[in-house]
Amino acid sequence: MRQTTALLSLILLATTSCTHGSNRQEAPVSPSVTDLAERSRALAKRVIIADGHVDVPYRLVEKLGPEGEPTEDISQRTAGGDFDYPRAVEGGLDVPFMSIYIPADLQAKPGASKALADSLIDMMEKIARKSPEKFAMAHSVEEARRNTQDGKVSFALGIENGSAIEDSLENVKHFHKRGVRYITLTHSKDNQISDASFNTGKRTWNGLSPFGRQVVAEMNRVGIMVDVSHLSDDAIRQAVEVSQVPVIASHSSCRYFTPGFERNISDELIRVVAAKGGVVMINFGSGFLSQAANTYELELRKAMMAFVQERGVARDGAEVQAFVESYMREHPVPFARVEDVADHIDHVVKLVGIDHVGLGSDFDGVGPSLPIGLKDVSQYPNLFRVLLERGYSEADIEKVASGNVFRVWQRVESHATGR
């Protein structure tokens, strides 16, 4: 699903279907826009920013050269994509969780999902080794903090789609040894672990499978965070219930703003996740943020499917991609804005407090649908500016930026080690 075809993929998946907490400070007396912009940039440099979901690995693997090496060098400024080192430094991004994305279609090929996961991890480790002054792997909160102090951008790892585990609990331990620190239990289709939110027809498991419950317990045992993004509602409830430690939703926004879009998380389930100490990390895709953009994507999908049926072409082929691009030129995307991301943060804070919300942008995973003001990793200060305008304290913003997910990560580590 990544950059060039990301919106098309989201369209294909989509078939399926404020007041803040008491810990907030009073809004300051109207500082100037310039003062707030400078303050937000300084804040982004000072606090650690951990983004729960950045799709760089699959973006790179889709563009390999003839010798199997990425054709883009993310240690330098790149012409495409949402992430590279210079822009990360500009935006203050310190700890992107690099998504080890496993397409659901690989589930039909035994061994293919695990092999792809290992190859993507290999690639990220190689990039870090090649630019040791810029990048470093982060296998713990302590390493992430130390890398930040050393002026390096950390690559934390999260597997997007538990199909990489195949049918073996031993692979949970294997991926922990490889540095994976969260696993999204499924993706766009039901797998051997869990039902998926996009698969709104007949549920395979009515939540988690028996094996999925074992997987959650094993993740708890070895120290991998359970990620409930992409899960069906019943699966989220069951994952939280089975887990002995808090869970995360690494890149999910609030369904309150997009009724009927199950990929986003409901108010009820936000409360369920928070009650266990977990964190909901807000996705920046416009279709996740506003009903107008979500409806637009559904309408685009209808038009695309009509084109596919009329022409008899493959849904993922070049003709369909050209049709989608033409449609988007003729019918401009109603982009969300950075203020909409702040609205979702506000909503979580109103429901469950400042300790249970974070950032999970989906940069390089939602393609051109990113909101105005948050088009790449250089623009986190724009979000901080809006939050400052709304009266969030710098301590509040630090929790949203990394403090909350670091707390869960440390709790999961401590549970596994018995500390």
Side-chain angles (χ1 to χ4, degrees), residues 18-24 252-257 264-275 278 280 282 342-357 392:
C18 307
T19 309
H20 307 297
S22 60
N23 63 330
R24 297 282 311 288
S252 293
S253 299
C254 304
R255 199 181 304 166
Y256 173 85
F257 297 95
N264 272 346
I265 190 165
S266 70
D267 287 2
E268 176 218 343
L269 290 172
I270 290 171
R271 293 188 179 99
V272 167
V273 169
V280 174
I282 302 302
D343 287 347
H344 283 253
I345 293 171
D346 285 348
H347 188 72
V348 177
V349 173
K350 178 181 178 180
L351 286 175
V352 295
I354 193 66
D355 294 324
H356 304 287
V357 66
Y392 283 78

Side-chain angles (χ1 to χ4, degrees), residues 28 75 79 83 92 110 120-121 228 234 261 266 286 290 301 318 325 328 333 352 356 370 390 402-403 412:
S75 73
F83 173 96
L120 293 176
I121 295 168
V228 298
D234 285 339
F261 183 48
S266 70
S286 288
S290 79
R301 184 192 178 280
E325 291 170 356
M328 292 171 66
V333 180
V352 295
H356 304 287
L370 289 161
R390 295 187 181 188
S402 61
V412 171

